[in-house]
């Protein structure tokens, strides 16, 4: 089991990570929810350096930082965005990180995760493995098919090593997606799959009824349970 740590500052990130690892978590995921200007100490590279100062080399190998192009995107210059991402990859590798999760982030942008993977020039031996997100819970079938097509394109770049599933509450859609992913693993046998389990508080469930997260589809029954 891995744990995703939502922290407000460096101290809480380090404290929560050390606690979770001490009680049996096999790894830590570190979300990227703000720009460097908005929260410099929790920017992807800064967060990793804080963890590296507190965790062992073995523990750092289990840290998976998220990298959101929404918050690390130079809209005027895709080449600059790519250079920034590749520099982060090299820095993460120097801190013994083995895997990162690359996401586009909410909203639309021309240089998204797919464009970034297609443009990537950094050799695999100089960066951690790259994982991508996959959302099987879109209620609209056309949207689900687009999501599958994008995933195939990402895998076809040859740069993707893992798929991380978005959370959701529709079990039937999840079963369909798992069958689809099983087919993909027939073509990409080394592909790693990660599922997600949501452990919300009652307060968060109540908040999600009125302000749902973008791209997260949770039924009224789930939110009332």
């Amino acid at each position: 089991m891995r744990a995703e740590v939502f922290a407000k500052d460096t101290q809480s990130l380090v404290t929560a990570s050390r606690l979770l690892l001490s009680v049996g978590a096999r790894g830590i995921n570190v979300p990227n929810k703000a720009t460097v200007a908005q929260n410099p100490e929790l920017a992807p590279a800064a967060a990793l350096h804080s963890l590296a100062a507190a965790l062992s080399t073995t523990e750092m190998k289990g840290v998976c930082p998220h990298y959101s192009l929404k918050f690390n995107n130079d809209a005027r210059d895709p080449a600059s965005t790519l250079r920034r991402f590749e520099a982060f990859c090299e820095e993460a590798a120097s801190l013994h990180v083995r895997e990162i999760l690359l996401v586009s982030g909410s909203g639309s942008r021309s240089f998204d995760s797919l464009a970034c993977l297609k443009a990537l020039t950094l050799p695999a031996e100089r960066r951690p493995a790259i994982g991508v997100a996959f959302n099987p819970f879109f209620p609209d079938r056309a949207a689900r098919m687009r999501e599958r097509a994008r995933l195939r394109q990402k895998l076809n770049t040859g740069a993707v090593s893992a798929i991380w599933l978005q959370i959701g509450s529709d079990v039937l859609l999840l079963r369909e997606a798992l069958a689809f992913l099983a087919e993909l693993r027939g073509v990409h046998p080394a592909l790693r799959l990660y599922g997600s389990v949501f452990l919300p508080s009652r307060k968060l469930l109540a908040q999600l009824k009125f302000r749902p997260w973008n791209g997260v589809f949770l039924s009224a029954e789930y939110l009332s349970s």
Side-chain angles (χ1 to χ4, degrees):
M1 181 196 75
R2 304 181 59 86
E4 188 165 302
V5 178
F6 289 86
K8 296 182 178 180
D9 52 40
T10 299
Q11 182 177 352
S12 60
L13 172 65
V14 171
T15 300
S17 298
R18 295 181 72 175
L19 173 62
L20 288 163
L21 290 169
S22 73
V23 297
R26 295 180 61 184
I28 299 297
N29 279 49
V30 185
N32 176 202
K33 298 293 185 181
T35 65
V36 174
Q38 291 169 333
N39 195 340
E41 64 179 312
L42 287 182
L48 283 184
H49 278 283
S50 295
L51 287 172
L55 303 181
S56 68
T57 297
T58 299
E59 289 170 330
M60 283 302 296
K61 290 178 180 178
V63 172
C64 178
H66 300 190
Y67 191 93
S68 172
L69 291 172
K70 174 181 179 179
F71 299 118
N72 299 278
N73 193 356
D74 186 342
R76 298 166 297 179
D77 186 4
S80 174
T81 301
L82 177 64
R83 286 194 299 271
R84 190 183 305 176
F85 174 63
E86 292 187 335
F88 169 73
C89 287
E90 290 191 289
E91 194 164 3
S94 74
L95 297 173
H96 309 290
V97 170
R98 288 184 169 180
E99 185 169 4
I100 63 177
L101 173 57
L102 175 66
V103 299
S104 297
S106 60
S108 60
R109 54 195 52 81
S110 58
F111 196 77
D112 58 10
S113 59
L114 176 56
C116 185
L117 290 167
K118 288 181 176 180
L120 189 66
T121 60
L122 189 66
E125 61 270 18
R126 290 172 53 191
R127 58 169 173 78
I130 297 175
V132 296
F134 174 63
N135 190 344
F137 296 106
F138 288 104
D140 178 63
R141 185 178 186 280
R144 294 197 301 274
M145 294 303 102
R146 287 194 296 271
E147 181 76 349
R148 291 186 183 191
R150 280 179 56 84
L151 180 58
R152 288 192 183 95
Q153 288 180 280
K154 292 174 184 178
L155 294 177
N156 288 340
T157 66
V160 174
S161 301
I163 298 172
W164 298 77
L165 275 71
Q166 175 63 281
I167 60 171
S169 60
D170 192 317
V171 177
L172 292 178
L173 292 182
L174 177 59
R175 287 174 179 163
E176 289 180 7
L178 291 175
F180 164 68
L181 293 173
E183 293 177 7
L184 290 183
R185 291 190 76 181
V187 180
H188 306 276
L191 191 64
R192 294 185 298 280
L193 303 180
Y194 295 97
S196 301
V197 177
F198 190 35
L199 300 175
S201 63
R202 289 185 178 182
K203 181 180 178 181
L204 182 54
L205 284 174
Q207 291 175 343
L208 288 170
K209 289 182 181 180
F210 302 100
R211 188 178 296 176
W213 291 339
N214 185 66
V216 175
F217 302 100
L218 300 171
S219 67
E221 179 183 6
Y222 178 94
L223 293 174
S224 300
S225 171

